[in-house]
């Protein structure tokens, strides 16, 4: 999820910068409505272009409507998108922010690109180049962000990397009884990368090498006697779940007690 978070923050920063730029343009173009004046320059040309756009779409005398739709609305959407991307913790919030940012880009980019001659006059070619390059980068960030969210949703909680190649394919729980002595339980673990089997006492539970064995009962022997017959082999489905639990424990995603609780749950179901 770390990779997803990094991309999410980068996309959020880009949206924040775009919000500032677009908001500044919207304020400057509204100056004539609040008693200001636009001197000759790019913004004066843009304001006259907005008037031409309003006339073209049948809104003569309602230039402010075009300004609201083309500049103010996308700015508001970008503000919301920026907050969702920078502070969102759930996949749905991140995707929603990405979609809102994309909608804002489509509105402002589509309208200004289509009416670029009216809005930018001699700066038309420069604007189209900037718009094309910026839009391509923006779309790339949108794809990367939403793809990272989908990948994160497919991973088990707490798993960052793919499962290692060396996994425990089979666990055999055996119970050996010696005459006149207490029952001794042994867990035999076979690894795909090691030849043969390694015998380890099941009642040894250390942080460095904890086995797939429950430790919360009065004794390991009691668990084995109540659950298994001699040399009983766990089903493959259970082994897969125990493998995931062990990987989560080794990665530090779950605590030792949580790991033992999971093991107890699946062992007692057999």
């Amino acid at each position: 999820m770390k990779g997803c978070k990094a991309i999410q923050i980068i996309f959020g920063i880009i949206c924040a910068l775009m919000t500032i730029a677009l908001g500044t343009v919207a304020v400057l173009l509204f100056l004539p409505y609040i008693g200001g004046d636009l001197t000759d320059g790019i913004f004066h040309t843009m304001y006259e272009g907005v008037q031409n756009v309003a006339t073209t779409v049948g809104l003569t005398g309602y230039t402010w409507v075009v300004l609201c739709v083309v500049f103010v609305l996308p700015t508001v959407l970008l503000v919301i998108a920026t907050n969702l991307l920078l502070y969102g913790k759930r996949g749905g919030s991140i995707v929603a922010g990405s979609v809102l940012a994309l909608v804002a880009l489509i509105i402002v980019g589509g309208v200004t690109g289509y009416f670029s001659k009216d809005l930018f006059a001699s700066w038309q070619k420069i604007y189209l180049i900037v718009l094309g390059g910026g839009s391509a980068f923006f779309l790339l960030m949108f794809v990367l962000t939403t793809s990272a969210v989908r990948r994160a949703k497919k991973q088990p909680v707490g798993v960052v990397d793919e499962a290692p190649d060396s996994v425990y394919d089979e666990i055999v729980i055996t119970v050996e009884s010696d005459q006149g002595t207490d029952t001794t339980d042994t867990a035999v673990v076979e690894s795909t990368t090691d030849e043969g089997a390694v015998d380890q006492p099941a009642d040894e539970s250390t942080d460095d090498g904890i086995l797939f064995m429950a430790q919360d009962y009065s004794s390991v022997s009691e668990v084995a006697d109540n659950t298994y017959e001699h040399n009983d082999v766990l089903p493959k489905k259970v082994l897969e779940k125990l493998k995931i639990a062990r990987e989560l424990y080794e990665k530090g995603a779950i605590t030792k007690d949580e790991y033992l609780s999971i093991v107890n749950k699946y062992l007692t179901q057999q």
Side-chain angles (χ1 to χ4, degrees):
M1 194 71 178
K2 290 182 180 179
C4 175
K5 186 67 176 179
I7 296 174
Q8 168 190 347
I9 292 176
I10 294 173
F11 195 20
I13 293 174
I14 293 172
C15 289
L17 295 175
M18 188 174 175
T19 301
I20 296 172
L22 193 59
T24 302
V25 172
V27 170
L28 291 173
L29 292 179
F30 263 101
L31 281 179
Y33 292 93
I34 57 178
D37 185 25
L38 290 173
T39 58
D40 291 339
I42 180 64
F43 292 106
H44 179 75
T45 302
M46 287 182 66
Y47 181 75
E48 291 181 342
V50 172
Q51 290 179 317
N52 294 333
V53 172
T55 301
T56 301
V57 298
L59 293 174
T60 304
Y62 294 94
T63 305
W64 63 271
V65 175
V66 177
L67 288 173
C68 287
V69 173
V70 179
F71 298 101
V72 177
L73 177 59
T75 301
V76 173
L77 294 177
L78 283 170
V79 169
I80 300 173
T82 299
N83 280 277
L84 290 174
L85 287 169
L86 291 179
Y87 304 109
K89 296 182 179 180
R90 296 186 177 182
S93 299
I94 300 172
V95 173
S98 302
V99 171
L100 288 176
L102 181 62
V103 171
L105 173 67
I106 292 174
I107 293 174
V108 67
V111 175
T112 58
Y114 185 80
F115 294 103
S116 59
K117 182 62 178 177
D118 294 319
L119 294 171
F120 301 99
S122 59
W123 290 283
Q124 180 188 20
K125 290 184 179 180
I126 297 176
Y127 174 74
L128 290 178
I129 293 174
V130 173
L131 178 63
S135 298
F137 180 70
F138 198 90
L139 289 173
L140 175 62
M141 292 305 303
F142 172 82
V143 172
L144 290 176
T145 302
T146 53
S147 297
V149 172
R150 286 196 296 269
R151 288 197 301 270
K153 286 183 177 180
K154 292 180 180 179
Q155 289 182 341
V157 177
V159 178
V160 177
D161 302 320
E162 293 182 358
D165 293 333
S166 178
V167 297
Y168 297 89
D169 291 331
E170 184 177 356
I171 301 175
V172 182
I173 307 297
T174 63
V175 181
E176 299 177 356
S177 299
D178 296 331
Q179 293 181 355
T181 62
D182 294 335
T183 303
T184 301
D185 303 314
T186 303
V188 181
V189 181
E190 294 186 2
S191 174
T192 56
T193 58
D194 297 330
E195 295 182 359
V198 179
D199 294 340
Q200 298 183 9
D203 56 352
E204 291 183 1
S205 176
T206 63
D207 291 339
D208 294 331
I210 191 166
L211 298 175
F212 290 139
M213 194 61 215
Q215 303 292 326
D216 294 337
Y217 291 88
S218 58
S219 69
V220 179
S221 301
E222 181 180 347
V223 177
D225 291 339
N226 293 335
T227 310
Y228 301 99
E229 295 180 355
H230 298 298
N231 298 322
D232 192 11
V233 180
L234 296 176
K236 182 178 180 181
K237 185 176 181 180
V238 174
L239 291 175
E240 290 296 325
K241 294 179 179 179
L242 292 178
K243 179 189 72 174
I244 295 174
R246 181 184 177 91
E247 291 169 0
L248 291 176
Y249 171 76
E250 291 175 344
K251 291 175 184 291
I254 59 176
T255 65
K256 177 181 175 181
D257 291 338
E258 290 172 332
Y259 171 72
L260 292 174
S261 176
I262 294 173
V263 174
N264 281 329
K265 174 183 176 181
Y266 287 110
L267 289 181
T268 54
Q269 289 178 354
Q270 302 306 311

